[in-house]
Amino acid sequence: MCGIVGYIGYRQAAPVLLDCLKQLEYRGYDSYGVATRSDGISIYKKKGNVSNILPDASALQGICGIGHTRWATHGIPSDINAHPHLDCKGRIVVVHNGIIENYAVLKRDLISRGHTFRSETDTEVIPHLLEDAYEGNLLEAMSRIVEKLEGSYAILAISEDDNCIVAARNQSPLVLGIGDNELFAASDITPLLEYTNRVIYLEDGDIAEIHPDTHMIYQGSIIQDRQVQEIQWTPDTVQKGGFAHFMLKEIYEQPDVINRAIHSLTPQSLPSFFRDTRSITVVACGSSYHAGFIFRYLIESTCGIPVRVELGSEYKYNSIPFGDLIIGISQSGETADTLSAIKKGNCNNVPTIAITNVLNSTITRHADATILMQAGPEISVAATKSFIAQLGILLQVVNLLSGNACDAILSHAGFAIKKVLQLELGEAVHLCSSANHIFFVGRGSFYPVMMEGALKMKEISYIHAEAYAAGEIKHGPFSLLSSETPVVAICMPGPAYAVMLGNLKEMKARGTPIIAIGSKDDTELYELVDVLIPLEVEHLYLQILTSTVILQLLAYHTATNLGREIDKPRNLAKSVTVE
Ligand code: F6R
């Protein structure tokens, strides 16, 4: 969480920094700030969203500067707690993404030695430590203080007296963008695409001194030679392209995304760990966890490999079965809880596979093998196309492990999704928009599909939405059902159909409005429910994919109907880098 950016070159830094911060807002958006260096250090910082920039911020002078967009961890969102943070004399200024775990001890010590703190943040210890360590060279000061910092950090610092930016990285992403006579640093590549496609990913322990035409990267006192990589993503991929919101654009990209994800995995590129394992544990959070949960149903029934699906945040409390394989699923590749699960695997000599969307993200450095989802950058905080890409990869794993039995089915995935994008959901949206609580129910692999549907609904519409395995509803939640609590259900022909239909009848008997995704020819279901959203596909895999897309659209249109902030839901950030 939090996005940082630095610029040094020939342009005025403040407008560049603000422009980049807008692209980083998905990482946090409760306050923002920039600092530039010319005759001295100038700062502008403010509570609120960087998209509502006031003119003073872009008027800061200087061709070197740093910026930050915040997701508050220590201290409320406020002007004072916004980054950048200064030392006592106002000569050194810092932005930081991550958490300094031992900040309280450091702060007490600094205060006892006469330092004055202005904010409640953990970050503010960094400029004060730099102030103490500074002997005329910012890079050397940074090298001295990082040894004192415990926790995660990507830090950018500038000072009145050094004509450079100094960067340090430990467990928080940081990338350098190499331009012509200008250099950038940022939490990820998306803000840089407008300026350059040549990047260097910094590693944990790196400290870099950045000038317009050169950069030096050190581990301790040893200079590192890091490879410049050319990024294929273009600036268009991070624009809305005529859609009202990134979320809608990303939903509409899914026919292509699913095809790319499926084709990215071949018998040759499938990590061999899959074929050798006795069991699998999937670790993930949020939507990625739901993708893992769906995978469990499919691989167990098709290949007979037992699968556990664990929340990243809970995995540290579990034991690892003998002969296991850990799969960490993470769109961002930076989710702290998922990373800690992968590291636990590393410590126990268990093979690990990362499924991620972000090349060179932290998870790729810790996992033994990586599968890239190829979804392209996802800007909207709510995961949509990355979830579909995860499903694409996982369905292809099942397909490859079962001797390509589903090649023909999977080749229809993009087309099937394209068709449901045209569905009319007005009545269902109307029912959901007036509700305070919505239940999402399904059976078998549709249960986690519904978990994802409920998550999408609650995170962007702010309506309380809960998913239940349909059979569980009678064991308590039934008491909540009434004419005020719509139920969204999947009731497709198949082994669970009869019992699912029975469950829906029981709910209907309590006056509950029902929106069902079902076969378009199912007259019994049509007569029972209030709204039938017709699905025409027959294969389970295609039903999972298409019903997922329907539920994304239901959440999206309900939230727009209610006038919600779609791409940046309150209190959320796209990349959750704290445990
Ligand atoms: C929901 C959503 C989150 C993420 C979760 C894990 O729409 O986006 O629930 O799925 O924070 O993130 P990653 O996949 O980056 O590890």
Side-chain angles (χ1 to χ4, degrees):
M1 6 268 273
C2 300
I4 63 173
V5 62
Y7 174 79
I8 184 161
Y10 53 86
R11 314 175 201 231
Q12 282 299 311
V16 175
L17 295 171
L18 291 167
D19 184 42
C20 291
L21 288 179
K22 282 186 207 159
Q23 309 275 8
L24 284 174
E25 267 198 323
Y26 70 88
R27 303 179 68 89
Y29 34 87
D30 58 44
S31 49
Y32 69 95
V34 292
T36 58
R37 171 184 181 275
S38 61
D39 290 341
I41 299 289
S42 316
I43 289 201
Y44 181 90
K45 52 187 198 167
K46 202 87 198 127
K47 177 179 169 186
N49 187 310
V50 73
S51 303
N52 313 320
I53 298 158
L54 301 173
D56 336 22
S58 50
L60 298 184
Q61 292 300 305
I63 53 175
C64 166
I66 54 179
H68 186 272
T69 179
R70 181 167 186 247
W71 188 87
T73 56
H74 295 67
I76 55 162
S78 69
D79 291 358
I80 303 256
N81 287 334
H83 299 214
H85 291 288
L86 282 163
D87 68 334
C88 294
K89 302 189 199 90
R91 297 169 67 111
I92 297 175
V93 65
V94 164
V95 291
H96 162 228
N97 168 32
I99 290 195
I100 305 301
E101 284 161 7
N102 59 336
Y103 87 101
V105 179
L106 294 171
K107 186 170 176 176
R108 262 198 305 278
D109 178 53
L110 285 159
I111 290 173
S112 74
R113 288 189 290 109
H115 287 263
T116 306
F117 280 71
R118 302 172 184 91
S119 77
E120 302 157 275
T121 63
D122 54 333
T123 299
E124 201 185 341
V125 297
I126 303 171
H128 291 283
L129 288 170
L130 285 171
E131 180 180 9
D132 273 2
Y134 191 78
E135 292 171 0
N137 182 311
L138 189 59
L139 178 81
E140 286 173 13
M142 186 68 86
S143 311
R144 283 193 280 274
I145 71 142
V146 287
E147 288 166 13
K148 300 185 178 163
L149 302 178
E150 288 169 18
S152 59
Y153 51 80
I155 302 169
L156 297 175
I158 56 175
S159 90
E160 202 171 282
D161 297 320
D162 299 69
N163 189 14
C164 63
I165 300 173
V166 170
R169 176 199 151 128
N170 185 46
Q171 294 178 41
S172 288
L174 193 53
V175 58
L176 303 186
I178 319 291
D180 292 332
N181 283 317
E182 56 183 351
L183 251 119
F184 304 79
S187 299
D188 84 31
I189 59 171
T190 44
L192 307 182
L193 297 174
E194 193 67 37
Y195 303 95
T196 180
N197 68 343
R198 303 178 62 233
V199 303
I200 295 175
Y201 293 93
L202 294 186
E203 308 267 344
D204 282 350
D206 279 355
I207 299 182
E209 187 177 270
I210 305 165
H211 298 267
D213 50 0
T214 171
H215 58 273
M216 265 91 66
I217 302 171
Y218 298 87
Q219 284 267 333
S221 57
I222 301 170
I223 292 204
Q224 305 295 308
D225 187 15
R226 296 256 186 274
Q227 206 194 341
V228 177
Q229 304 199 20
E230 293 211 351
I231 298 300
Q232 304 305 326
W233 292 358
T234 62
D236 299 353
T237 53
V238 291
Q239 306 295 337
K240 281 191 208 143
F243 286 89
H245 300 101
F246 279 110
M247 182 177 176
L248 193 61
K249 177 189 172 218
E250 288 158 4
I251 289 174
Y252 272 76
E253 283 172 9
Q254 293 179 117
D256 291 338
V257 167
I258 189 76
N259 289 336
R260 264 204 315 274
I262 290 168
H263 290 124
S264 70
L265 204 55
T266 61
Q268 294 71 36
S269 64
L270 183 74
S272 56
F273 300 122
F274 276 113
R275 299 196 193 272
D276 304 336
T277 194
R278 295 160 65 139
S279 65
I280 294 175
T281 301
V282 177
V283 284
C285 304
S287 295
S288 301
Y289 172 78
H290 300 153
F293 210 153
I294 294 170
F295 173 67
R296 175 187 156 190
Y297 281 95
L298 303 183
I299 195 159
E300 284 189 347
S301 60
T302 312
C303 309
I305 303 174
V307 176
R308 292 193 308 167
V309 191
E310 302 290 347
L311 292 167
S313 54
E314 288 294 310
Y315 189 64
K316 54 173 92 67
Y317 312 114
N318 294 345
S319 57
I320 302 180
F322 175 72
D324 204 31
L325 163 67
I326 295 176
I327 304 178
I329 308 178
S330 174
Q331 183 283 134
S332 63
E334 304 293 344
T335 300
D337 288 320
T338 308
L339 284 172
S340 91
I342 290 282
K343 287 179 196 164
K344 180 170 170 178
N346 297 154
C347 293
N348 287 278
N349 291 322
V350 177
T352 53
I353 297 177
I355 299 180
T356 183
N357 197 27
V358 182
L359 181 72
N360 265 307
S361 54
T362 307
I363 200 169
T364 66
R365 293 148 195 264
H366 293 284
D368 296 311
T370 294
I371 301 173
L372 282 174
M373 287 151 46
Q374 316 278 10
E378 187 174 67
I379 308 296
S380 175
V381 165
T384 52
K385 66 173 179 172
S386 64
F387 181 76
I388 280 290
Q390 288 165 353
L391 291 184
I393 296 284
L394 295 167
L395 288 173
Q396 178 70 327
V397 168
V398 178
N399 181 38
L400 294 177
L401 290 179
S402 55
N404 293 67
C406 290
D407 273 356
I409 296 299
L410 292 180
S411 70
H412 284 104
F415 180 70
I417 291 179
K418 206 176 254 175
K419 276 194 99 175
V420 295
L421 290 174
Q422 292 155 11
L423 280 174
E424 167 51 51
L425 299 177
E427 272 186 84
V429 169
H430 178 72
L431 255 179
C432 290
S433 302
S434 53
N436 291 320
H437 311 276
I438 306 175
F439 284 96
F440 285 70
V441 298
R443 279 176 175 264
S445 50
F446 291 126
Y447 167 43
V449 168
M450 287 322 226
M451 292 166 85
E452 176 60 10
L455 178 65
K456 285 290 89 81
M457 181 63 83
K458 74 182 108 185
E459 72 177 326
I460 63 164
S461 75
Y462 310 155
I463 297 171
H464 171 224
E466 250 188 282
Y468 268 92
E472 271 296 295
I473 278 267
K474 281 195 291 255
H475 300 283
F478 231 74
S479 65
L480 295 171
L481 292 187
S482 73
S483 57
E484 316 266 283
T485 49
V487 167
V488 182
I490 302 188
C491 185
M492 295 302 295
Y497 176 79
V499 68
M500 185 71 203
L501 193 68
N503 293 151
L504 293 183
K505 284 182 181 162
E506 291 151 9
M507 292 174 201
K508 197 68 208 160
R510 273 78 191 169
T512 307
I514 297 178
I515 299 164
I517 299 173
S519 162
K520 74 173 176 27
D521 303 320
D522 189 337
T523 44
E524 190 172 358
L525 185 65
Y526 176 78
E527 280 162 18
L528 173 71
V529 301
D530 298 72
V531 182
L532 177 68
I533 302 174
L535 260 198
E536 292 182 21
V537 288
E538 282 173 12
H539 195 277
L540 176 66
Y541 293 2
L542 300 184
Q543 291 171 352
I544 289 170
L545 293 169
T546 50
S547 49
T548 295
V549 176
I550 290 171
L551 297 175
Q552 293 169 349
L553 287 168
L554 184 62
Y556 172 81
H557 290 298
T558 303
T560 45
N561 216 16
L562 295 170
R564 305 297 191 224
E565 174 106 22
I566 301 294
D567 289 328
K568 286 176 275 183
R570 68 184 177 207
N571 303 334
L572 299 182
K574 186 138 192 83
S575 178
V576 184
T577 55
V578 291
E579 290 192 16

